[in-house]
Amino acid sequence: MIFLILLAITVVQAMIVYKIRYIYSRQPILGIGVVAVIIFIFYLISNISLNKFLGAYTFGLASLNLFFLFIMLVYMWLMHRDQKKVNMKQEADFLLVMGNKCMTERIPPILASRLNKTIEIFKASTNKPQIIVSGGKNLHSLSNKTEAEMMKEYLLQAGIPENHIIVEEKAMNTIQNLEFSSIKIHRFWSKEIRPKVIIVTSDYHLPRTRLQAKRLGFKVQYASAKTMSMLKWPAMFREFTALLWYDRYVIAIVVGIDVLYSLSLYI
């Protein structure tokens, strides 16, 4: 009976992760994988005595929770550190606005905050920069427009001249935002000197954006848009799971070692 209760609790935990992952990301299959692995582990250890099983379960679950907690704390520290490094006074040739999932024809609050920050920087600049709006069409969106099209309309309504807006509407994630926008910059920029680029994104999104930009070899500045408290924690959870997904093979190895070590202590 205790075995069934513990199994049910574990499955519920995994499904909660799956549900949030499905809502806030494009990789919902991760949740299914978590459930499958847990059920498989229970199958392997089903013949262990109850006391040994409880010991292995407790040790394994506690150590994994501490591992993921450590990663979450590191992410939160990086987010706090990156916001302090943001330099809003520097002039730019390009403002790159990172897209955000749009499920309807209305700009969601998180994306609106990024666009508002972009408008603020543009109006304060002396050499009015070009604005790159980057984002494709979400497959689950009820709108026929791409994120970039909706972002452009928002900027036009705010009084940004159309000849200062560059539309990139193929990107479906952070890496593609950076890659496809860099192609736009190279096509548009004719001077021999390196263009000055400021990436505009949300406060919680800064660590992942910096990480991917560094991996791609980009030298850019950043501007941080503040996220309202009600939306920040769900968005941070999405970022946390996205960071785990990028290094999923390393995470899988660590989880596998933890499971094997837990079993070896009590079998």
Side-chain angles (χ1 to χ4, degrees):
M1 184 63 181
I2 296 178
F3 170 81
L4 294 177
I5 294 175
L6 291 174
L7 176 59
I9 293 173
T10 304
V11 172
V12 169
Q13 290 175 337
M15 291 306 295
I16 290 173
V17 173
Y18 162 75
K19 184 65 177 178
I20 299 178
R21 181 74 189 180
Y22 179 80
I23 293 175
Y24 291 104
S25 182
R26 297 181 175 89
Q27 301 293 343
I29 196 67
L30 179 64
I32 298 176
V34 171
V35 176
V37 169
I38 292 174
I39 292 176
F40 179 69
I41 292 173
F42 272 105
Y43 173 77
L44 291 179
I45 63 177
S46 59
N47 293 324
I48 301 176
S49 65
L50 183 59
N51 290 335
K52 289 184 176 182
F53 164 72
L54 289 175
Y57 180 88
T58 302
F59 176 85
L61 185 61
S63 56
L64 284 178
N65 282 339
L66 288 174
F67 173 66
F68 289 123
L69 176 62
F70 174 76
I71 297 176
M72 184 66 177
L73 291 175
V74 170
Y75 159 65
M76 294 175 67
W77 174 78
L78 289 174
M79 181 178 64
H80 181 70
R81 183 205 63 178
D82 290 345
Q83 289 181 63
K84 287 186 175 182
K85 289 185 176 182
V86 170
N87 184 359
M88 291 296 299
K89 296 182 179 180
Q90 184 172 345
E91 294 287 334
D93 300 303
F94 294 92
L95 298 176
L96 168 54
V97 192
M98 305 293 280
N100 186 255
K101 185 179 294 184
C102 299
M103 300 305 295
T104 66
E105 294 192 357
R106 293 176 59 89
I107 293 288
I110 289 178
L111 185 54
S113 67
R114 297 179 186 180
L115 292 168
N116 291 336
K117 177 61 68 174
T118 302
I119 295 167
E120 175 187 334
I121 299 172
F122 181 87
K123 292 184 176 180
S125 300
T126 55
N127 63 317
K128 303 305 181 185
Q130 295 294 316
I131 301 175
I132 302 176
V133 288
S134 176
K137 183 181 181 302
N138 188 283
L139 296 177
H140 304 287
S141 175
L142 301 177
S143 173
N144 293 322
K145 299 177 182 178
T146 63
E147 293 173 16
E149 289 176 315
M150 297 171 64
M151 294 160 73
K152 179 181 178 179
E153 292 177 359
Y154 190 96
L155 293 176
L156 291 174
Q157 292 175 5
I160 303 298
E162 187 171 5
N163 62 341
H164 280 272
I165 303 175
I166 301 173
V167 177
E168 187 291 298
E169 49 188 349
K170 294 183 179 179
M172 296 301 294
N173 53 51
T174 298
I175 297 177
Q176 292 179 1
N177 283 144
L178 297 171
E179 290 180 336
F180 295 160
S181 296
S182 68
I183 295 174
K184 293 282 187 180
I185 291 174
H186 284 296
R187 288 177 179 174
F188 192 91
W189 188 250
S190 58
K191 300 179 182 179
E192 293 185 2
I193 61 174
R194 181 191 294 270
K196 297 178 182 178
V197 180
I198 294 180
I199 296 178
V200 184
T201 190
S202 302
D203 43 15
Y204 69 85
H205 192 229
L206 277 174
R208 184 154 60 110
T209 303
R210 279 184 177 273
L211 174 64
Q212 296 306 322
K214 184 177 181 180
R215 287 178 176 177
L216 293 170
F218 296 161
K219 294 182 179 180
V220 296
Q221 298 296 320
Y222 299 88
S224 172
K226 186 176 181 179
T227 307
M228 64 175 64
S229 300
M230 182 179 67
L231 300 175
K232 190 170 184 177
W233 283 102
M236 287 174 61
F237 184 87
R238 178 199 181 279
E239 283 301 296
F240 171 68
T241 57
L243 289 169
L244 293 181
W245 180 257
Y246 282 163
D247 293 311
R248 56 191 177 277
Y249 300 114
V250 176
I251 300 298
I253 292 173
V254 173
V255 172
I257 292 174
D258 178 81
V259 171
L260 292 175
Y261 182 73
S262 299
L263 292 177
S264 69
L265 291 176
Y266 298 99
I267 292 180

